[in-house]
Amino acid sequence: MEKSKKIILTGDRPTGRLHVGHYVGSLKRRVELQNSGEFDQIFIMIADAQALTDNADNPEKVRQNIIEVALDYLSCGLDPAKSTLFIQSQIPELTELTFYYMNLVTVSRLQRNPTVKNEIKLRNFEASIPVGFFAYPISQASDITAFKATTVPVGEDQLPMIEQTREIVRSFNHIYGEVLVEPDVLLPDNKACLRLPGTDGKAKMSKSLNNCIYLSDTQEEVKKKIMSMFTDPNHIRVEDPGCVEGNPVFIYLDAFCRDEHFKTHWPEYQNLDELKAHYTRGGLGDVKVKRFLNQVLQEELEPIRARRKAYEQNIPEVYRILKEGSICAQKAAAATLAEVKAAMKINYFDDEELIQAQAQKFRQQP
Ligand code: ATP
Ligand code: MG
């Protein structure tokens, strides 16, 4: 087992364009890790099969968003020369692994998964949960282990999935022998980025909640969304003391703003702590803070938009990148699946010893 290799697997569901929550929660980190040169292999997956588990009746939505997510990846700086970008459904080995891992997980264990519980509520599934959706943590374990990933950079909501994966790995290795690798989760080190709230103040910016600032939003759209953002509801007049905790405008500043931004855009303050202190004291209006946030965010998004524009002019090339990535990912997954099947003793035709031993056994029978 090649334990010493450092391998990343992570990805996103093609259920919409990617937003700034994805960016700070995972995407930005991926690009940094990619460029650090510390990893032997980086696999970035567009999880279309997973997206279909709760969008079975809307395949067109998934199909349309593949290219959107791919464009978001490339525009953030994921580089196909360094990272393998691929589409989940094109790797049948992942489905096969899922089928075998299903035997290692109980229904009650899946029912306990807090993220899945939450998502079931959000989607109003109640008693009509599709089996595929219910089991998606198992399919995620296949995605991670198929590539023998050691590191999975994700947002906080993915913690229960990685825990489930680790349990499956331990259980598999215990029963069948050491084949799979237990992955480590890599969370953002900035607290604000663990789970970026929505512009409406809801706990999570999420494609399904319509409370997102998209990486591909125009300058005008971003400004409009920021200026109408939810803030502290008790901060009515400028003189009133305001609350920065749980205030999404300040959480976004925590996520995006650096001291340099004050030098260029708001030299009245040295840093975010000073700005927060003023807001808390009272005498600082929301509009001013929002204008500053707009400047900070536009600065971060501008190069991303520019790169996107360039790739948008060459869509066939983007599909080619995904096709090549998928071919490469399929080879890696096939190698793991072969090991898995050998360990599970379902590699009948590759096992010459088995065939000879059976032949011997039956020859000896009278
Ligand atoms: P959906 O509503 O379809 O589930 P989503 O917005 O939750 O969409 P995913 O594709 O499920 O997006 O998540 C992709 C990655 O982005 C995961 O690693 C997840 O942890 C991270 N992520 C998603 N939303 C946020 C957020 N608001 N803050 C930080 N990270 C996030
Ligand atoms: Mg999600």
Side-chain angles (χ1 to χ4, degrees):
M1 205 169 33
E2 302 161 84
K3 252 202 172 138
S4 50
K5 270 199 171 180
K6 289 178 76 178
I7 300 173
I8 287 179
L9 175 112
T10 187
D12 306 88
R13 295 153 38 93
T15 48
R17 293 174 290 150
L18 298 184
H19 53 63
V20 296
H22 297 122
Y23 183 67
V24 294
S26 173
L27 213 43
K28 194 176 174 187
R29 187 66 161 292
R30 291 179 208 171
V31 176
E32 287 163 10
L33 295 173
Q34 168 195 273
N35 296 336
S36 75
E38 279 176 30
F39 287 83
D40 298 291
Q41 271 176 306
I42 301 178
F43 294 97
I44 311 285
M45 179 181 80
I46 304 183
D48 61 337
Q50 189 189 115
L52 284 167
T53 64
D54 57 327
N55 290 281
D57 56 350
N58 200 354
E60 196 54 40
K61 171 175 157 190
V62 174
R63 187 182 177 85
Q64 292 298 328
N65 281 306
I66 297 261
I67 193 74
E68 294 285 357
V69 172
L71 284 168
D72 287 329
Y73 282 170
L74 295 165
S75 55
C76 283
L78 284 176
D79 175 354
K82 297 179 186 159
S83 297
T84 304
L85 310 182
F86 71 100
I87 305 180
Q88 186 186 25
S89 63
Q90 303 308 296
I91 323 293
E93 286 78 1
L94 300 177
T95 327
E96 220 174 314
L97 286 174
T98 303
F99 193 69
Y100 299 128
Y101 294 171
M102 279 181 170
N103 304 330
L104 306 176
V105 182
T106 64
V107 171
S108 67
R109 174 65 184 86
L110 285 176
Q111 272 165 340
R112 278 203 310 274
N113 184 314
T115 303
V116 176
K117 265 193 197 162
N118 212 353
E119 289 174 333
I120 286 171
K121 212 187 286 159
L122 205 80
R123 287 163 178 76
N124 291 324
F125 276 150
E126 313 213 329
S128 57
I129 310 161
V131 173
F133 182 81
F134 185 63
Y136 92 73
I138 304 178
S139 127
Q140 225 165 296
S142 306
D143 305 333
I144 296 168
T145 56
F147 301 99
K148 301 207 166 165
T150 51
T151 311
V152 188
V154 282
E156 194 184 33
D157 63 314
Q158 293 301 307
L159 271 177
M161 308 303 158
I162 313 302
E163 196 40 54
Q164 177 74 79
T165 301
R166 293 169 62 93
E167 282 176 33
I168 290 174
V169 169
R170 286 197 291 266
S171 173
F172 186 98
N173 287 352
H174 176 73
I175 301 171
Y176 303 111
E178 288 281 320
V179 173
L180 304 177
V181 176
E182 241 182 276
D184 284 317
V185 70
L186 190 63
L187 292 176
D189 32 26
N190 179 340
K191 199 168 142 263
C193 303
L194 285 172
R195 187 180 300 236
L196 201 75
T199 49
D200 57 356
K202 287 219 177 88
K204 183 173 174 287
M205 181 177 286
S206 171
K207 284 171 280 186
S208 329
L209 292 176
N210 238 328
N211 58 6
C212 307
I213 295 176
Y214 293 100
L215 293 172
S216 50
D217 277 344
T218 62
Q219 213 174 346
E220 296 71 37
E221 284 166 331
V222 171
K223 185 167 183 200
K224 210 169 139 202
K225 288 181 183 178
I226 290 178
M227 296 317 284
S228 52
M229 260 178 85
F230 180 89
T231 62
D232 170 10
N234 299 316
H235 187 238
I236 298 162
R237 290 163 309 172
V238 173
E239 319 77 89
D240 292 339
C243 182
V244 296
E245 270 93 55
N247 183 332
V249 174
F250 281 93
I251 299 175
Y252 287 17
L253 284 174
D254 277 328
F256 287 100
C257 156
R258 298 181 299 272
D259 291 352
E260 304 91 85
H261 288 124
F262 285 95
K263 274 197 202 92
T264 24
H265 302 297
W266 214 355
E268 255 177 275
Y269 307 94
Q270 300 250 338
N271 54 43
L272 190 52
D273 288 337
E274 284 188 21
L275 184 72
K276 283 183 179 172
H278 191 179
Y279 189 82
T280 313
R281 254 191 337 266
L284 178 58
D286 284 324
V287 172
K288 277 191 176 171
V289 187
K290 285 178 173 177
R291 277 205 196 113
F292 175 59
L293 172 62
N294 180 52
Q295 284 165 321
V296 169
L297 210 52
Q298 299 285 3
E299 211 171 288
E300 188 85 26
L301 295 179
E302 205 38 61
I304 299 177
R305 280 190 204 117
R307 268 196 299 263
R308 200 180 214 271
K309 276 262 143 5
Y311 278 111
E312 280 172 354
Q313 298 318 305
N314 203 352
I315 294 296
E317 170 64 9
V318 179
Y319 278 106
R320 197 196 56 77
I321 289 169
L322 293 176
K323 184 174 176 189
E324 274 198 3
S326 300
I327 292 169
C328 167
Q330 192 268 332
K331 285 195 186 123
T336 304
L337 181 65
E339 281 183 67
V340 161
K341 289 175 89 167
M344 292 181 69
K345 301 191 176 291
I346 51 174
N347 61 335
Y348 315 109
F349 310 133
D350 300 336
D351 192 347
E352 197 50 43
E353 239 174 71
L354 166 81
I355 298 168
Q356 292 310 325
Q358 295 290 356
Q360 181 78 14
K361 188 173 100 189
F362 285 95
R363 258 199 307 270
Q364 282 164 359
Q365 279 170 11

